[in-house]
Amino acid sequence: MLLNQLGSLQQLSRAIMQPLMILPAIAVVLFVGYVLNCFGFVEASTWMQSAAKGLLDTMPYLFAAGVALGMSNNSGVAAMSGLLGIFIFYELVSEVLPTDVVIEPTILIGIVFGMMAGAIHERFHAIKLPEYMQIFGGARLVVLIMIVLSVALSFLFIQIVPGLNNVIQIIGHEIMALGSFGVFLYGVVHRVLIVFGLHHLLNNLVWFHVGSYTDASGSVYTGDMVRFFAGDPTAGGFMAGLFPITMFALPAVAMAIIHESREDLRPKVKKTYLTAAGSSFLTGITEPIEFAFLFAAPYLFIVHALLTGVAMWITFELGILHGFSFSAGAIDYIVNLHLANKGLLLIPIGIAFGLLYYGIFRFAIQKYQIPTPGRVEATLLDDMAGDLLHRVPLIIQALGGKDNLVDVQACITRLRLRVRQEKKIDRHALRMLGAAGVLRLGGGHVQVVFGTYSEFIRDEMVKRLQRDSKQVSFVAPLQGRMIPIEDVPDTIFAKKLVGDGVAFIPDKGELVSPVAGLVRHIYPTMHAIGIETKEGVEVLLHIGIETSGLNGSGFQSIVKEGDEVKPGQLLIKFDMAYIKKRGCSLVTPMVITNSNRIASWSKAPFTIVKKGQTSVLSIVLHEDGHGGE
């Protein structure tokens, strides 16, 4: 039950991310206005500041549309319905309430109408009415229901919003009254919620509802972030302490991971984690580093969460105020420094925390032999850039296939998915494909952390899911290690004269079927078997090299010609010790003998695989079913 609730909350958290995308734009506009003012362009500076103020004033409406988008798989009808709802609310407020009672637009109200619009869309957008009523069906029905319910909800809000606003103000005042302890508590909880992707719910309360500020024109702004950009000299206490962590502490963790990696794996680890450190420093995106030790050493993540709280407590006690529009990285630090108070003090504090983190993590990794990336090869986070598009079919396969995916979304650092059956997800395969972590939140809600490539992966996944192409996926036929076909110690296979594919070095004498298909041929010596899939793909599995000379000794066929087989079904048992003793290589090629039919290939990283489980290959056939030579 709790997991189902977490799944629903993560969907809401993802939806809240949509309107937050405007905040970096507001920060840039304010910075440009500041620079123009410094060079004497006062009128132009005023225009830029007015534009930023206008954007801040529209935030409730943006949340109504953005949350509706996020809750409805980016439906434009839902977004329009969310805007209709909040427009109706404020129209009724101005008509019904006495002139001396004012309800200011709030982001919370925008979120409520966005959630309602998203829920109505998901429930009613596919409903078909009788033919004579169908003009009101589908998208029109969503809009109609939203209008009616918005009127009802607006009258309810008119009764409770003043009291609700008071409650929010009280909560905000209580958090503010806690002083440095409140900031410490926020820092700790914020870090913990990142694990579940729910930190935006907490941020929404603190950034948009804690504290109140009235500017010279009488406009009222609430929330630490909004007040900071509106010019409140007391805002920024809940954001300043995050800069030392994202700009210095977590990059120091990345350096500790690099320095504790094995020498043979260090070049690849260095490339990956220097990139992650740069991303954390510049943009404040920290998940690729945090997930590198979250699952391997959860207690270190607890230490990290506590130290984040300590950093925020220190900055608050020193009166340091700074803010960001996106995340606490160097870009936001520089762009918003003109609005900060004692912002330069964050640099020495950050350096001190960087040294502290580096020492703690190097000591812990050495002392407790924590399997961080590069210490054991199976945990290595591969570089995604080079073959990203080729991995996407394998990622889909590792997620249980096209039919298992209900909803595919992404935020900046992770895929946010809804699947039909969580048990079909291959976590090991996803790790091998570059995922830093996989979180199951219940109710079919799953998050896969791919770092800053997540949005690109999502876009490519959607393209491939919508494309009606013939695709065949393969799992590992053996337990062991996958290697390139070019590394097979046999010229015929290595030069792809039989066909293209991959090969395996087994550590267990069992060959299983990599695909669903029909056993077309079993060699009399039982060292090789041919399978044909329903799409007509011909697969040859050849156990070892020069093993035909054994005349069947050491081999036992479990299936016979004409049998239908499923992925992972046992085909042949073989005696590894006997084959080795006879001087034969155990390298086992898996090739497609009619490779001319293949339009594109997607091969998994060449590493350790589990028979019948690990996704190793995905192919797309030519649309005409034939292809050229």
Side-chain angles (χ1 to χ4, degrees), residues 194-207:
I194 280 180
V195 176
F196 304 100
L198 303 177
H199 50 297
H200 299 299
L201 298 178
L202 175 66
N203 291 340
N204 183 264
L205 173 64
V206 174
W207 292 352

Side-chain angles (χ1 to χ4, degrees), residues 23 28 71 73 92 141-142 195 258 339 355 400 471:
L23 293 175
V28 171
M71 299 291 287
N73 197 18
L92 291 176
L141 182 62
V142 172
V195 176
I258 292 170
L339 297 173
L355 294 173
Q471 182 171 319

Side-chain angles (χ1 to χ4, degrees), residues 561-573:
E561 292 181 358
D563 284 354
E564 290 188 2
V565 292
K566 299 178 180 179
Q569 182 176 336
L570 182 60
L571 302 175
I572 297 174
K573 290 184 178 181

Side-chain angles (χ1 to χ4, degrees), residues 330-575:
I331 295 174
D332 256 307
Y333 175 82
I334 295 170
V335 168
N336 302 319
L337 188 60
H338 64 287
L339 297 173
N341 181 52
K342 301 181 181 179
L344 293 176
L345 285 178
L346 292 173
I347 301 299
I349 293 173
I351 293 173
F353 269 88
L355 294 173
L356 177 63
Y357 266 66
Y358 182 81
I360 289 175
F361 274 78
R362 283 209 71 172
F363 170 79
I365 292 170
Q366 290 178 5
K367 176 73 173 177
Y368 301 106
Q369 294 297 301
I370 299 171
T372 49
R375 290 180 64 81
V376 290
E377 194 166 2
T379 64
L380 181 61
L381 191 64
D382 290 315
D383 178 27
M384 293 292 292
D387 57 354
L388 173 63
L389 298 184
H390 296 293
R391 294 188 187 205
V392 169
L394 293 165
I395 291 170
I396 294 173
Q397 185 180 345
L399 290 168
K402 177 179 180 179
D403 294 337
N404 196 42
L405 295 169
V406 178
D407 185 28
V408 180
Q409 299 295 332
C411 62
I412 295 167
T413 58
R414 64 188 79 188
L415 293 177
R416 294 173 180 259
L417 311 164
R418 188 153 56 92
V419 299
R420 289 185 172 84
Q421 296 185 51
E422 293 182 25
K423 65 181 181 180
K424 289 187 176 182
I425 294 175
D426 188 342
R427 298 173 69 129
H428 174 74
L430 289 169
R431 294 279 292 183
M432 292 302 99
L433 290 166
V438 181
L439 297 172
R440 299 181 181 182
L441 302 178
H445 294 279
V446 179
Q447 296 180 1
V448 187
V449 180
F450 277 111
T452 51
Y453 291 107
S454 297
E455 291 180 315
F456 296 104
I457 293 173
R458 184 262 176 192
D459 292 343
E460 185 63 24
M461 285 179 66
V462 170
K463 290 178 184 176
R464 291 181 179 267
L465 291 172
Q466 292 174 344
R467 192 183 304 159
D468 187 19
S469 57
K470 291 183 179 180
Q471 182 171 319
V472 183
S473 300
F474 296 75
V475 295
L478 292 166
Q479 191 90 357
R481 174 183 292 275
M482 185 169 81
I483 63 173
I485 193 69
E486 293 84 357
D487 291 350
V488 175
D490 181 88
T491 303
I492 293 177
F493 284 109
K495 291 189 175 182
K496 306 179 183 178
L497 299 179
V498 179
D500 199 355
V502 294
F504 303 86
I505 302 174
D507 56 26
K508 190 174 182 180
E510 293 183 345
L511 180 76
V512 302
S513 179
V515 289
L518 193 69
V519 177
R520 285 298 187 189
H521 186 61
I522 300 176
Y523 284 68
T525 52
M526 292 179 289
H527 74 289
I529 184 171
I531 299 173
E532 183 179 356
T533 72
K534 65 180 181 179
E535 296 85 2
V537 177
E538 298 169 1
V539 185
L540 172 65
L541 297 160
H542 193 286
I543 302 173
I545 303 300
E546 303 294 343
T547 48
S548 60
L550 299 178
N551 295 318
S553 299
F555 296 92
Q556 178 188 357
S557 178
I558 307 301
V559 295
K560 61 183 183 297
E561 292 181 358
D563 284 354
E564 290 188 2
V565 292
K566 299 178 180 179
Q569 182 176 336
L570 182 60
L571 302 175
I572 297 174
K573 290 184 178 181
F574 55 97
D575 189 333

Side-chain angles (χ1 to χ4, degrees), residues 211-338:
S212 179
Y213 168 67
T214 304
D215 65 10
S217 65
S219 297
V220 179
Y221 301 93
T222 59
D224 198 51
M225 180 182 288
V226 176
R227 290 187 292 113
F228 178 80
F229 288 111
D232 185 353
T234 67
F238 285 86
M239 295 181 285
L242 291 174
F243 284 101
I245 301 301
T246 58
M247 290 174 58
F248 296 95
L250 286 168
V253 172
M255 296 306 299
I257 289 173
I258 292 170
H259 293 158
E260 288 300 322
S261 62
R262 281 169 27 189
E263 287 189 14
D264 59 324
L265 298 177
R266 189 166 299 164
K268 204 165 201 178
V269 173
K270 185 176 182 180
K271 182 179 180 181
T272 299
Y273 280 91
L274 281 180
T275 301
S279 178
S280 179
F281 177 78
L282 289 173
T283 67
I285 294 174
T286 60
E287 281 95 330
I289 299 175
E290 290 174 311
F291 277 81
F293 62 87
L294 169 62
F295 298 106
Y299 57 87
L300 270 182
F301 196 88
I302 295 174
V303 172
H304 165 49
L306 292 172
L307 286 175
T308 299
V310 170
M312 300 199 68
W313 174 76
I314 291 173
T315 57
F316 190 87
E317 285 292 317
L318 292 176
I320 301 173
L321 300 173
H322 204 333
F324 47 80
S325 60
F326 169 66
S327 195
I331 295 174
D332 256 307
Y333 175 82
I334 295 170
V335 168
N336 302 319
L337 188 60
H338 64 287

Side-chain angles (χ1 to χ4, degrees), residues 99-113:
T99 55
D100 59 339
V101 178
V102 178
I103 297 180
E104 292 288 341
T106 67
I107 288 172
L108 177 61
I109 292 175
I111 291 174
V112 171
F113 277 100

